[in-house]
């Protein structure tokens, strides 16, 4: 509803696993419209995952726009 025409190209993906926790870091070039405004640009991302009974669950995502 709030994001339209979203596209994300992921590069430099690195995944690390330790016991039941994993984290992924990656660069991304995103394009899209959020609340009527263009938010396209280059970003860096970190995702944190926890393994539970039924599989991996994402617990946190952080993104920063690169100027």
């Amino acid at each position: 509803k709030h994001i339209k025409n979203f596209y994300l190209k992921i590069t430099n993906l690195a995944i690390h696993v330790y016991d039941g926790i994993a984290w992924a870091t990656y660069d991304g070039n995103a394009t899209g419209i959020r609340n009527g405004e263009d938010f396209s640009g280059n970003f860096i991302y970190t995702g944190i995952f926890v393994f539970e009974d039924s599989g991996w669950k994402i617990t946190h995502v952080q993104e920063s726009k690169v100027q």
Side-chain angles (χ1 to χ4, degrees):
K1 179 178 177 179
H2 300 287
I3 297 177
K4 297 179 181 178
N5 303 324
F6 179 73
Y7 174 78
L8 175 63
K9 180 180 179 182
I10 294 173
T11 58
N12 300 320
L13 175 63
I15 300 171
H16 310 274
V17 180
Y18 182 77
D19 288 334
I21 299 172
W23 60 99
T25 57
Y26 52 97
D27 299 332
N29 178 271
T31 59
I33 306 295
R34 178 175 36 225
N35 297 325
E37 294 188 26
D38 179 44
F39 68 87
S40 301
N42 294 312
F43 295 81
I44 54 174
Y45 297 86
T46 302
I48 308 295
F49 304 81
V50 174
F51 191 83
E52 295 180 349
D53 296 334
S54 59
W56 290 100
K57 307 288 183 185
I58 192 159
T59 60
H60 178 76
V61 174
Q62 185 277 329
E63 68 178 53
S64 296
K65 191 169 188 177
V66 179
Q67 300 297 329

